[in-house]
Amino acid sequence: MSRRLVTRVVPFLLVAVFALGLVAPPATAQQVYPGESWDRVASPESAGWSSEKLKAAQDYSKTIKTSAVMIVLGGKVLDDWGETGTRFNVHSIRKSLLTAMYGIHVADGRIDLTKTMGDLGMDDNEPSLTVIEKQATLHDLLKARSGIYHPALYETPGMKAARPQRGSHAPGTFWYYNNWDFNAAGAIFERATKNSLFREFKERIADPIGMQDYRLEDGQYVTGPDSVYAAYPFRLTARDMARFGLLFAREGRWRWRQIVPAQWVKDSVTPYSDAGTSGGYGYMWWVAANGKHVPGASIPDGSYSARGAGGHYILVIPAYDLVIVHRVNTDIQGNSVSGEEFGRLVKLILDARQPR
């Protein structure tokens, strides 16, 4: 092959490979990733942060029910404390894990978001889905806009109390944080992939990004009489959750490999619905919008978080190249950290940033 032909063909092939998501474009010099374990910054001061103020944040966390905190700056640990290697239930963060896996299979053509519940043969126990409810698309489910208000599993009392009446909103017209949507989306995913979502998570995400602790037995299904669609809670450590947050902060890239398509990451953290004091809601991610996201803390718009009942968070702030993970031992009944308490902790952490 002539040199001239090579110079024409090779760039074309590289563009095609990058577009297909088989390999990520070359990372910028600033992008850092953990190896088998996390590296740390030399000192907070060397990174432009205050050790004294981070200690104030840690001291405050000891007055609430925080079990672990991990703060990752630029791909390295800025600070951490507590049980960062303990596998706690992530609760509703399971939904953000699921949507990342969806992006992989939407890109490879295995999942079509335009399919309706009727197309997919989705129904539930009595009272079963109506003709109108079956017009909801898979896309609606990912945005929690299905209009299907059938009883669902693994709901908090607040979710049950807030559930609209059946038939009160047509599919696609109204946002409600709806476990029926999230649980049904899990069932649809498993049908499409012919695999358990826990195994898919291990093979497609946990192993490729080097999660230190995740095991197949760290996922379980929750079943019950309210619905035929199970919930699917995971147990993860803070240090593995920080890897997942960094994966999204890096637009789905892990070193040379595009794990989750970059466009899917962007779409997932775009606000499609007004989520009140939390800002907006994307594809199973909460998104900072109009200056709102975490009570009492100033978070740049475009930041986003995965959240679980009791005070579990993966907060990603791309403007600062920052990931904050917060854990609570919710296996102990009554243990929880409120949104206001978490907001105060985040404010104290961000106060440690030194002006440049």
Side-chain angles (χ1 to χ4, degrees):
M1 185 179 294
S2 71
R3 179 175 298 178
R4 179 178 297 178
L5 184 57
V6 168
T7 59
R8 291 179 178 176
V9 171
V10 170
F12 172 80
L13 291 175
L14 288 174
V15 169
V17 168
F18 296 154
L20 289 171
L22 303 175
V23 178
T28 64
Q30 293 82 8
Q31 289 186 335
V32 175
Y33 297 85
E36 291 185 6
S37 59
W38 285 90
D39 292 328
R40 305 182 73 89
V41 301
S43 69
E45 281 71 22
S46 69
W49 289 64
S50 165
S51 297
E52 182 180 357
K53 291 184 177 181
L54 286 171
K55 178 64 164 52
Q58 182 176 353
D59 289 345
Y60 169 69
S61 74
K62 293 176 181 177
T63 70
I64 57 178
K65 296 295 186 180
T66 297
S67 294
V69 170
M70 192 157 179
I71 308 168
V72 174
L73 176 69
K76 293 184 178 182
V77 176
L78 174 70
D79 202 356
D80 62 349
W81 58 86
E83 300 176 64
T84 58
T86 299
R87 298 175 179 89
F88 295 118
N89 188 341
V90 304
H91 297 279
S92 287
I93 290 175
R94 67 191 175 99
K95 300 155 189 175
S96 303
L97 306 181
L98 176 63
T99 196
M101 294 187 283
Y102 255 95
I104 296 169
H105 290 296
V106 169
D108 69 18
R110 188 172 297 186
I111 295 177
D112 181 353
L113 297 183
T114 68
K115 294 291 186 182
T116 67
M117 298 303 98
D119 295 334
L120 296 166
M122 299 292 286
D123 206 341
D124 210 329
N125 54 25
E126 294 294 337
S128 56
L129 302 191
T130 67
V131 172
I132 292 176
E133 287 173 333
K134 288 184 180 181
Q135 294 173 7
T137 66
L138 183 50
H139 205 183
D140 293 328
L141 265 60
L142 296 186
K143 294 187 288 186
R145 298 180 66 91
S146 74
I148 300 173
Y149 306 131
H150 190 284
L153 298 171
Y154 216 55
E155 289 184 313
T156 65
M159 293 169 72
K160 289 183 178 179
R163 186 194 304 132
Q165 291 186 344
R166 292 284 295 273
S168 58
H169 301 284
T173 64
F174 185 79
W175 177 76
Y176 160 66
Y177 187 73
N178 189 357
N179 261 22
W180 193 93
D181 291 3
F182 308 135
N183 296 343
I188 293 167
F189 180 86
E190 292 194 328
R191 291 181 188 178
T193 61
K194 298 179 173 57
N195 201 2
S196 84
L197 55 87
F198 304 120
R199 186 174 298 279
E200 278 285 315
F201 181 74
K202 185 175 190 302
E203 295 172 353
R204 300 284 183 164
I205 294 178
D207 287 349
I209 68 175
M211 285 190 175
Q212 296 169 251
D213 307 304
Y214 178 70
R215 311 163 302 182
L216 286 178
E217 57 264 37
D218 294 330
Q220 69 175 107
Y221 297 99
V222 175
T223 59
D226 285 338
S227 173
V228 300
Y229 300 118
Y232 40 89
F234 287 69
R235 286 184 173 269
L236 293 176
T237 63
R239 60 195 182 194
D240 280 353
M241 290 166 66
R243 286 180 186 254
F244 184 73
L246 184 62
L247 174 67
F248 263 65
R250 295 287 185 263
E251 299 180 334
R253 178 214 305 273
W254 202 260
R255 293 192 179 87
W256 56 268
R257 183 176 175 185
Q258 194 74 39
I259 305 296
V260 179
Q263 186 60 50
W264 183 264
V265 172
K266 180 180 179 181
D267 293 345
S268 296
V269 299
T270 296
Y272 303 104
S273 304
D274 184 342
T277 58
S278 295
Y281 199 73
Y283 295 165
M284 303 187 193
W285 283 88
W286 303 86
V287 185
N290 302 316
K292 295 181 290 186
H293 195 55
V294 177
S298 179
I299 307 291
D301 283 0
S303 304
Y304 47 91
S305 59
R307 305 181 180 187
H312 298 273
Y313 291 86
I314 305 173
L315 173 61
V316 181
I317 307 179
Y320 305 155
D321 201 4
L322 189 69
V323 177
I324 300 173
V325 173
H326 182 263
R327 309 308 310 279
V328 177
N329 184 0
T330 44
D331 292 331
I332 298 176
Q333 188 172 4
N335 263 12
S336 67
V337 168
S338 70
E340 290 72 21
E341 290 171 330
F342 177 69
R344 182 177 175 188
L345 177 60
V346 170
K347 181 182 185 303
L348 289 169
I349 291 170
L350 296 183
D351 283 349
R353 295 179 70 240
Q354 299 299 301
R356 303 211 174 198

